[in-house]
Amino acid sequence: MTTPAMTATAAVGPAAVGPAIVGPATGSDGGADDSDCLRAAADFVRRHDTATLLPLLLPGLDGPQLHALTRHLAFAHAALLVFPPDPAALRADLAACGLSADAPPLPSSVVRDRLAARHRRDAAGLDVSILRPGVRAADGTRRAVEVFALTVPPGSDLWDVAEHERVHQHEAHLAFEVLRPEPLLLRGLCALLADRGAVPDGGGYNPHENGTVLYFTVPAASLAGYRRVELYAPGDHRDVLAGHLADGPAVRPAGRSSTGTSTGTPTDQPAETLLRLLTGAWATQALAACARLRLPDAVPPGESVDRAALAHRTGTDPRALATLLRYLAMLGVVTAEGERVRLTEVGALLREDAPASMRPLALMYGGPFYRSFGALDHTVRTGETAFDHLFGENHFDHFARDPELADLFDRSMAASTRMFDPVPGHPALVAAAARPDGGTVVDVAGGNGELLARVLTAHPGLRGVLLERPHAVEAARRTMAEAGCADRCSYRVGDFADVPAEGDVYLLSRVLHDWDDDRCRAILRHCERAMPAHADLLIVERLLPADGSASLATAWDVHMMCNVGGRERRADHYADLLAAAGLDLLAHTPLPLDAALLHARRPARP
């Protein structure tokens, strides 16, 4: 039987193995042709996937170790460094190879600093950018060719750097994205690669895209044709990076670059890490200001706008706006092309008309919740909710008293509804939809009806009942009407004690984390009393990780404590709460945005 590894080896072939697969065809001057390199890299990306590549890179990798790596890593791109004389020449080379970069280039601080150290150059004089033109793989997966571009105009004193790099291909590598970038997992993956003979070979943190890269040199027996591998972890993981750099022979500059950005030396790293943490509030307010000023709404999607024109459109001071835009570019919200500004995919989410716009979240986190976080120490010292302490009432009553604020809160909740995408496919809902008489789904405290609308849209045979406060019911009616489900949904105005009976599936979405354990047990008992014997309960919440690894739930735990007096919980904690209400936790499955879907029922009777 032919194994995936055998198939991949045959696909590469002996003639294709070696630096030439990414390195360019060598010319008479010992140099290389950038377009040939780009074409070879794109072809490689099209033909390979995670499962076939890993055994080639790490000979002997099989069984549990291969399974562990394929679970947590995804082949993302092949990378190479090219040397165009100007941006137009690079675009022409990309086009000649059938590659098109949708997003504008970003600066590459990692490769810039590696080149500076290797060639004893001032990093400020190396204009290195990153482009990631997409490639459709043979299996339909969307991957990329990561193109590092060092501009080398004719007659430049960088010509010797280009010649050396073209011959030795130091920056050519294969990259795997870490699917859940948590510190413990990252350390475990590094240890597993080391166990298979991979040697740490540098890395860095790129603040322009908020990503951490860890490089390795693979064993000499590797058959993939690439000697370097990158693990890419979204986010700032410089604590893991520091240990990785200490373990390997990475070439990196000492001290600070001329730009003032830390280059990752052990003496600088803790202080810079703390500074970045301390300035997190600045990022929150910069994003909130961006949303309040409607800067993203003034930049058409996919287009760039002159900075002066943007200041005129938004009624802002040109000089102050330029300062804010520079910071937003560092945060990855916009990119600057000379005097022109373009939104990134992140920045586009702050447009009011964006699908699942996150503008309301920016306004909420930079507004009322920002103020209450200023009294976090009061909460920690007394156990009293900071929001109540500042505003004199709990946030539900406070928002209900202000229609504009109530609407903003409902819209901010809707901004995270992409976590609901997989919910309609849950077996409990599929089974309810298959009932001969049509099933009924009860959404308890269902907010503006976003989740229930998705469920009813996915299953035309289902009926819905939504329980909420009066103002929320009105918002839910609008949501259902827009989704075309108004004729299949009824509404109950009331509290948790009014949970309707006779449903087939009950939903509790982002409700329990608002309350303490006693209140949660009471809410669950109300649900249990209303549920027929066959009914299912589906709960959407974030779960605190049992191993203490990094998670959005850990941050939200502080948020809930500070603002509503609630908390996030581990899965076993929810199991105890459910058991106290006479329900069994059967399973929990992951959802987007670090959420989870918990499935509970009454215990089976003998």
Side-chain angles (χ1 to χ4, degrees), residues 100-104 132-134 142 342:
S100 173
D102 299 327
R132 294 190 181 90
R142 186 77 172 170
R342 183 190 298 265

Side-chain angles (χ1 to χ4, degrees), residues 122-464:
D122 181 1
L126 300 175
D127 178 19
V128 183
S129 59
I130 310 175
L131 284 166
R132 294 190 181 90
V135 172
R136 184 72 67 182
D139 61 2
T141 305
R142 186 77 172 170
R143 300 197 186 101
V145 175
E146 184 171 74
V147 182
F148 300 112
L150 172 63
T151 303
V152 182
S156 167
D157 65 348
L158 295 176
W159 188 251
D160 59 328
V161 174
E163 283 191 320
H164 174 90
E165 294 295 326
R166 278 173 166 150
V167 171
H168 295 283
Q169 293 293 311
H170 293 297
E171 300 305 327
H173 64 264
L174 300 177
F176 295 82
E177 182 168 355
V178 182
L179 299 179
R180 275 192 72 130
E182 300 166 353
L184 286 177
L185 176 61
L186 278 174
R187 290 188 175 95
L189 292 172
C190 290
L192 202 160
L193 289 173
D195 184 61
R196 301 309 312 172
V199 177
D201 185 24
Y205 169 70
N206 190 346
H208 302 288
E209 59 182 28
N210 190 28
T212 305
V213 293
L214 308 171
Y215 290 120
F216 296 83
T217 300
V218 297
S222 170
L223 298 174
Y226 287 75
R227 292 301 313 283
R228 296 180 71 239
V229 169
E230 169 196 311
L231 296 190
Y232 175 78
D236 187 346
H237 302 283
R238 279 177 289 180
D239 50 348
V240 178
L241 175 65
H244 177 78
L245 294 175
D247 289 340
V251 176
R252 59 188 188 274
R256 292 184 173 271
S257 71
S258 59
T259 62
T261 302
S262 170
T263 55
T265 62
T267 54
D268 286 342
Q269 194 268 337
E272 185 180 334
T273 296
L274 183 58
L275 275 177
R276 288 184 182 278
L277 294 173
L278 289 171
T279 59
W282 303 355
T284 302
Q285 282 302 329
L287 294 169
C290 178
R292 290 189 202 104
L293 295 168
R294 295 188 175 275
L295 299 181
D297 297 303
V299 182
E303 298 181 22
S304 63
V305 173
D306 181 75
R307 226 167 40 193
L310 183 59
H312 179 73
R313 289 181 191 179
T314 56
T316 53
D317 177 78
R319 181 174 176 181
L321 178 62
T323 299
L324 175 60
L325 289 171
R326 188 161 50 244
Y327 186 44
L328 291 172
M330 191 182 85
L331 296 176
V333 176
V334 301
T335 59
E337 306 165 356
E339 291 297 310
R340 301 189 70 79
V341 177
R342 183 190 298 265
L343 292 176
T344 66
E345 290 183 357
V346 173
L349 290 172
L350 291 173
R351 287 181 59 88
E352 189 166 36
D353 62 357
S357 168
M358 298 184 82
R359 181 175 184 270
L361 274 179
L363 298 176
M364 186 64 71
Y365 291 163
F369 288 154
Y370 187 87
R371 288 183 59 194
S372 58
F373 257 106
L376 176 60
D377 58 330
H378 174 83
T379 294
V380 175
R381 186 166 49 249
T382 66
E384 183 182 329
T385 304
F387 193 101
D388 300 11
H389 171 68
L390 282 175
F391 293 95
E393 58 187 339
N394 72 64
H395 100 286
F396 294 112
D397 291 340
H398 185 74
F399 291 173
R401 206 179 304 283
D402 183 333
E404 279 191 31
L405 205 51
D407 178 63
L408 177 61
F409 177 71
D410 287 340
R411 287 187 290 117
S412 72
M413 291 291 284
S416 297
T417 53
R418 56 175 57 84
M419 69 172 59
F420 296 156
D421 289 348
V423 173
H426 191 277
L429 290 165
V430 174
R435 293 177 67 86
D437 56 347
T440 298
V441 179
V442 178
D443 196 351
V444 179
N448 70 348
E450 178 70 29
L451 174 56
L452 185 57
R454 290 182 184 224
V455 170
L456 298 184
T457 300
H459 302 290
L462 286 176
R463 298 179 300 277

Side-chain angles (χ1 to χ4, degrees), residues 46 49 228 310 360 373 433 452 516 518 568:
R46 291 188 185 99
D49 59 28
R228 296 180 71 239
L310 183 59
F373 257 106
L452 185 57
D516 62 23
D518 288 342
E568 306 294 348

Side-chain angles (χ1 to χ4, degrees), residues 5 348 462 480 488 534 577 592:
L462 286 176
M480 291 298 169
R488 289 188 288 126
H534 71 277
L577 295 175

